[in-house]
Structure formats: structure tokens, C-alpha cells
Amino acid sequence: MHNHLATAKTLKNDEFYTRYEDKASEVQRYDLRGMSVYCNCDDAESAFIKYFIENFHKHGLKKLYASGIRGEYVEYDGKHILRKRINGDFRSDDCKAILEKADVCITNPPFSLFREYIGLVPNFLIVGNKNAISYKELFPMLKDGRCKLGYTHPNEFFTPDGSLVNLNGLCRWFTSMMVNKAPPPIIGRNSPCYLRCYDNYPAINIDRVEDIPDNYDGLMGVPITFMDYMDYEKFEIVDLIARYAVIDKSHKVKRHQLTEIDGEP
């Protein structure tokens, strides 16, 4: 884990603010015409709010709602801005009531609260740590295609003190909206014969995406970075196996330790 994210996890200081240009690069790829957008983790100075006010008519939005933990509420209809005070915690009754009026939530929720957040919002375009791929709250949606990774990877974020940190490769956009892109090609190997199978699960182990063999239709254990290459017409996600669990063929966890191959962790 990157040092910045490790520190945030320890101190619960996970306020990483997405840059305006990164928001614009991703959001402009979606059809938001006639939709009401809710930025429910954004205080008044948020770049998300600035972007949607400046591009309200370009996107053909119906309404913009925004609220943040400081209790600042913003509502914009393309002509008038309403500002007032509410309980800005996205889990509050105030925010849940606004959520019912919105078509989609677009924001950067706190990384430490991502699990709670994803369980509340039915339609979303949000920034998260790529490790969220393995969360039980999100993985089932990725498995069946109800959630997909977005078009871009935000790397640089502002912190509350105004400094810019680089979380290169550690964050992704997650969305329930339609993503119309061709996954990057996997340049695989010709033969799976050099790959080893797990001791207690009938799948070959893949350490890197580039190790995926060509023309192989058996079970493969792949890293979560495979989701960047996921093509739902070519692959099927069967299950999620915790990295620190050994399971048997009935999918029951035997004991918690590193997965083994030939008795080696």
C-alpha cells in the first residue's frame, strides 16, 4: 500500500480531494442529459460542485444537489442557487432524503467509509481505492456487471492543507452507469503448462495479468488489477477468494493464512 494511503488508514485522515481536471476528464464521457446529480460528499468549495455548475447546461442536467460533512447544502437548477444548512453526513436522514430525488451520485467519498457509502447509493460514479474491488459490498456488483471501472485513473489528489500527493495507480473510478469502452488487450502467453495450481482449489495461479495464457478456458486466480482488463464477453468472474484464506473445493474456508501452492504460502 502506498505510504499516503497507509497513513490515512491508520489516522482515519482520508481526505483526498479529486482535481478539477480529473473530474472533467471522466465525467464528460457519460450521458447525463435530464439527470439530477447529487454530490453528497462535497462542501461548497468542492471542485465537483464547481464543475457541475460551470457545465450544467453542457451536460443538460435537470438539477444539481450537493452536501458535505460541514453541513453546507447547495442546490442549483441552472439559474438559481439555493444554499442552506443541513446534516451533511451522507448517512444522515437529511442526505438520504435528497438521495431519493437524485438520479446519480457523483463524488469522492472518504476511503475509510467506502463500504458504508456503496451500500447506500443505487446509482453512482465515484472515486475509490482500487482495493475496494475486493470489498464484499462492491465485488458482487463487479462480478455481474452492475458496476464497472471507469475510463480514467485519477492519480494526483489535494489534501486539506493544499498539498498535492501522488497515489499513482492506486485509485479508480467506479460506476453503475454505462461504460462504453473496449478493454485494453491482454498480451498473454501461449501455454499454461508452466503455471501451477492451488493446493485446495482447481485453478491456476496468475501473479500478473500478462501471465494469463491464450486460449485457456479453465479457472484462473488473477490479481484485482485484472479488472482493468475485464471483458464481460470473454471472461466470467466466478468468485472472490480472500488473499489470506485457504479454501477447499466446497468453497469453505479451512484456515486463515496465505494461499498455498505445493505446500508453500
Side-chain angles (χ1 to χ4, degrees), residues 14 89 108 125 137 148 154 192 222 229 260:
D14 52 357
D89 188 318
N108 179 359
L125 172 60
E137 295 82 1
K148 295 183 179 180
V222 298
Y229 301 84
E260 296 179 352

Side-chain angles (χ1 to χ4, degrees), residues 104-242:
V104 61
C105 288
I106 303 180
T107 190
N108 179 359
F111 289 171
S112 66
L113 298 177
F114 192 94
R115 294 175 186 269
E116 292 183 70
Y117 184 88
I118 202 68
L120 287 175
V121 292
N123 199 21
F124 53 86
L125 172 60
I126 55 178
V127 178
N129 183 341
K130 73 177 181 184
N131 291 319
I133 290 171
S134 65
Y135 291 174
K136 64 180 182 181
E137 295 82 1
L138 184 64
F139 177 75
M141 290 189 280
L142 289 165
K143 178 180 177 180
D144 61 21
R146 286 179 290 135
C147 174
K148 295 183 179 180
L149 271 59
Y151 294 88
T152 62
H153 296 173
N155 290 317
E156 294 184 316
F157 296 81
F158 287 106
T159 60
D161 64 6
S163 60
L164 191 66
V165 297
N166 193 314
L167 305 181
N168 189 33
L170 293 175
C171 296
R172 298 292 187 273
W173 287 94
F174 299 96
T175 185
S176 60
M177 294 191 290
M178 181 178 293
V179 175
N180 185 19
K181 68 172 182 178
I186 297 175
I187 310 300
R189 298 177 181 250
N190 293 326
S191 173
C193 63
Y194 68 96
L195 296 168
R196 297 188 294 171
C197 185
Y198 300 115
D199 291 350
N200 300 299
Y201 194 78
I204 57 175
N205 175 62
I206 305 293
D207 288 323
R208 304 175 302 170
V209 172
E210 54 264 36
D211 290 334
I212 291 176
D214 291 330
N215 302 317
Y216 181 73
D217 60 0
L219 288 170
M220 299 179 285
V222 298
I224 59 174
T225 49
F226 171 79
M227 291 307 303
D228 290 324
Y229 301 84
M230 178 59 186
D231 185 336
Y232 287 89
E233 294 184 359
K234 295 181 179 180
F235 295 98
E236 175 190 3
I237 301 176
V238 177
D239 202 354
L240 173 71
I241 303 176

Side-chain angles (χ1 to χ4, degrees), residues 29-91:
R29 301 168 188 263
Y30 300 86
D31 185 2
L32 301 175
R33 288 173 294 180
M35 300 181 73
S36 294
V37 172
Y38 186 16
C39 304
N40 56 344
C41 295
D42 296 86
D43 289 304
E45 70 276 12
S46 165
F48 275 103
I49 299 176
K50 180 180 179 182
Y51 174 81
F52 282 117
I53 289 179
E54 292 180 352
N55 295 276
F56 189 93
H57 298 290
K58 175 183 176 180
H59 284 295
L61 299 183
K62 178 181 179 181
K63 188 73 71 73
L64 171 65
Y65 306 104
S67 59
I69 195 65
R70 298 173 188 168
E72 302 165 331
Y73 173 73
V74 175
E75 183 176 318
Y76 182 60
D77 63 3
K79 293 182 180 180
H80 307 99
I81 297 180
L82 170 66
R83 300 180 186 272
K84 63 179 182 180
R85 305 289 299 181
I86 66 169
N87 183 338
D89 188 318
F90 67 82
R91 299 163 292 188

